[in-house]
Amino acid sequence: MVSSMSVASAKMTSGVAAQSARPTRAVRSRAAPFGLKGNAGSPRALRHSFVSTGAVSRNGFGLRKQQAVSAQRQDGRSLRVVNVSQIRDFNLNVEKEEGRLYYRLQYGKADWIKHRARNRYVRHLQTLLFSQTLRNIAAPMYMVTFASCIALCIHNFSQFIPQTILAMFMYQTALPVTVTASMLALLLVFRTNNSFARWRDARGAWGIFTTKSRNLVRQVCGWLPDGEVKDKCVNYMIAFGYALNQRLREEPLEVHHIDKFLTPEEVEKVRSAYHQPLYCLQCITALVRSQQIHPQLETEIDGNMTHIEEFVGLCENMLRNPIPLSYTRHTSRAMLLWLIFLPFALVSSCQFAVIPVCLFVSFVVLGIEEVGVNIEEPYTILPLELVCNEIEKSSYDILKNSSIANALYNPETKLAYVTSMSKNDYVFN
């Protein structure tokens, strides 16, 4: 076990493409307020300082402009090319995509106390200008503000504008906006509810995977004899979690992800496999079968691995199938058109206040839709690294204590409980 758990870290020699000739565009730090330059010495600036350098944490989203990763089938056909520098509109979305790093949170007791604190309203208002959601919806908010200015100009200079144009743009009543608002609300509710359902199902699936992986490790440690095979089964189970995490995020499985558990030869075999998580399960199956344990026990272990394989299919199915694109596009178009025509219906009653009023309405409506879009693809915002770390710790804890636990049942010894002692005391006869 010691030899397999303490494999020396090897330098990565393949799998990383050459850097792009263009320099990486520096990403604005989240410490900077909306449209302003932030204080580089503030705690928030220090907390997110690595973003301004254009680099990404090794365990982070891994979205680097200069890195192109190409996964190839064994027969030579291209499986999927993930070249972020060639993604359409990448330069416009690099900050947004790297900002998804900060959604990967796992709460503890202190976090929950802060989350439900009485001063949360004031704290949330203070951080409004640093909001990632506000930055993501800045462009359509500018469009709504521009439409509000046009409506205000038409209203104030109506004497110089032909009546046909006034009749076309200026409404005497807000009834059209009121009638369509309910329909827009239904679109947004359906959108956000389905997105949240996808996020909840993904998080629940990874919770089930955590339980199944621990159960599999427990069975392996309890039913397989001590030795290198048992250690390798545990190591491949841990590597499975990291490999699946990288696959769902369409990122390369680098050496540093699994070199702590596997030898350099095993690492290269895993990384060269077409479906890396399933290759890890295949290795566990072969290792278990090599021990020739009781068929019933082998069936139990295989049943657990079958459940884990079904979990992989569930995650991949959710990743490949978004909410119907026609619905997403229709919601976006209807919402933006409604917000653009909103100032023309309110300018008669709001006058100069139409600009801040429409700006606030657009912030609320666009923010709801943006949240739904963000959580629709849950794997880049869920803290899967922390889940894998927890599986790693619990698996090694089970492996470390397996010899102690197995000593409680030994055919050559009989465990006898002494009724006169406390129920926590026992002796061996």
Side-chain angles (χ1 to χ4, degrees):
M1 180 179 69
V2 177
S3 60
S4 61
M5 293 173 56
S6 60
V7 179
S9 299
K11 295 184 179 180
M12 181 174 59
T13 59
S14 61
V16 178
Q19 293 185 350
S20 175
R22 294 179 298 175
T24 304
R25 182 174 67 88
V27 182
R28 181 176 54 183
S29 172
R30 291 187 67 200
F34 180 66
L36 300 175
K37 293 183 179 180
N39 183 8
S42 63
R44 184 177 293 272
L46 295 176
R47 180 182 177 184
H48 307 296
S49 59
F50 75 93
V51 179
S52 61
T53 63
V56 180
S57 172
R58 193 169 77 168
N59 292 328
F61 185 71
L63 188 62
R64 288 172 286 186
K65 183 177 179 180
Q66 69 273 20
Q67 180 173 340
V69 181
S70 177
Q72 301 288 334
R73 293 183 188 266
Q74 291 183 357
D75 57 3
R77 292 179 297 171
S78 176
L79 165 65
R80 186 173 183 85
V81 177
V82 185
N83 190 346
V84 295
S85 63
Q86 296 178 359
I87 296 178
R88 183 180 179 183
D89 299 332
F90 175 81
N91 290 333
L92 299 178
N93 297 321
V94 58
E95 182 179 2
K96 177 179 179 179
E97 293 301 321
E98 290 181 350
R100 294 173 70 85
L101 284 168
Y102 308 109
Y103 294 109
R104 301 175 187 176
L105 302 176
Q106 199 169 45
Y107 270 29
K109 182 178 180 180
D111 300 310
W112 283 114
I113 293 176
K114 182 180 179 181
H115 180 73
R116 56 177 176 259
R118 295 179 178 178
N119 65 336
R120 63 183 182 275
Y121 305 104
V122 178
R123 186 178 71 250
H124 294 164
L125 283 178
Q126 290 175 346
T127 58
L128 175 62
L129 297 180
F130 306 98
S131 171
Q132 187 69 29
T133 302
L134 181 61
R135 295 190 180 202
N136 295 340
I137 62 176
M141 287 182 65
Y142 288 148
M143 296 177 61
V144 175
T145 304
F146 182 70
S148 302
C149 295
I150 293 177
L152 188 61
C153 292
I154 293 176
H155 178 75
N156 292 335
F157 299 98
S158 58
Q159 63 273 20
F160 304 106
I161 300 176
Q163 293 298 320
T164 55
I165 298 179
L166 289 176
M168 185 182 303
F169 289 99
M170 307 306 294
Y171 309 117
Q172 301 299 323
T173 177
L175 183 61
V177 175
T178 305
V179 172
T180 55
S182 58
M183 295 184 288
L184 182 63
L186 289 176
L187 290 174
L188 289 175
V189 168
F190 180 85
R191 183 73 174 80
T192 53
N193 283 352
N194 279 273
S195 297
F196 176 74
R198 291 170 59 86
W199 181 91
R200 180 190 57 201
D201 293 343
R203 187 64 187 93
W206 272 82
I208 295 175
F209 163 65
T210 303
T211 303
K212 292 294 183 181
S213 63
R214 290 171 178 170
N215 194 21
L216 178 61
V217 172
R218 177 185 58 81
Q219 291 174 340
V220 167
C221 293
W223 297 340
L224 265 63
D226 294 335
E228 185 180 0
V229 173
K230 178 193 292 188
D231 301 342
K232 283 189 174 183
C233 287
V234 176
N235 291 335
Y236 273 113
M237 189 66 247
I238 298 172
F240 169 86
Y242 288 100
L244 181 60
N245 177 28
Q246 300 304 115
R247 181 176 179 84
L248 293 178
R249 292 175 177 174
E250 297 188 12
E251 298 175 4
L253 182 63
E254 305 289 4
V255 173
H256 62 76
H257 290 137
I258 56 177
D259 63 350
K260 296 183 296 182
F261 327 118
L262 306 176
T263 63
E265 294 78 10
E266 293 170 342
V267 168
E268 289 304 319
K269 290 181 180 179
V270 172
R271 294 181 66 231
S272 62
Y274 163 60
H275 200 298
Q276 297 158 349
L278 293 186
Y279 175 79
C280 293
L281 290 183
Q282 184 180 4
C283 292
I284 297 175
T285 302
L287 290 170
V288 171
R289 190 163 64 173
S290 67
Q291 296 301 295
Q292 299 181 352
I293 60 176
H294 193 278
Q296 184 177 357
L297 301 182
E298 185 175 347
T299 302
E300 290 290 334
I301 295 178
D302 188 70
N304 254 330
M305 287 192 288
T306 301
H307 288 304
I308 294 176
E309 188 175 353
E310 293 173 353
F311 157 75
V312 175
L314 175 65
C315 292
E316 291 180 338
N317 181 57
M318 186 179 299
L319 178 66
R320 305 303 178 197
N321 298 278
I323 295 176
L325 297 180
S326 58
Y327 187 90
T328 301
R329 292 166 183 167
H330 181 71
T331 303
S332 178
R333 292 163 183 164
M335 177 182 57
L336 190 57
L337 289 175
W338 186 86
L339 290 172
I340 289 176
F341 285 103
L342 178 64
F344 297 95
L346 300 181
V347 66
S348 300
S349 56
C350 295
Q351 299 294 327
F352 286 95
V354 69
I355 296 179
V357 168
C358 292
L359 195 63
F360 175 75
V361 173
S362 64
F363 168 72
V364 175
V365 176
L366 292 170
I368 294 174
E369 198 266 347
E370 175 66 20
V371 171
V373 172
N374 274 336
I375 64 177
E376 181 183 0
E377 193 275 282
Y379 300 114
T380 54
I381 59 176
L382 286 173
L384 302 184
E385 298 91 349
L386 300 180
V387 177
C388 294
N389 292 339
E390 184 63 28
I391 293 175
E392 176 186 347
K393 294 177 183 178
S394 59
S395 298
Y396 279 141
D397 185 67
I398 295 174
L399 180 61
K400 181 182 67 175
N401 297 326
S402 62
S403 58
I404 302 176
N406 292 338
L408 298 177
Y409 175 77
N410 193 324
E412 298 179 359
T413 61
K414 181 180 179 182
L415 182 64
Y417 291 92
V418 182
T419 56
S420 60
M421 299 182 179
S422 64
K423 59 182 180 181
N424 293 328
D425 297 331
Y426 51 86
V427 295
F428 287 97
N429 290 334

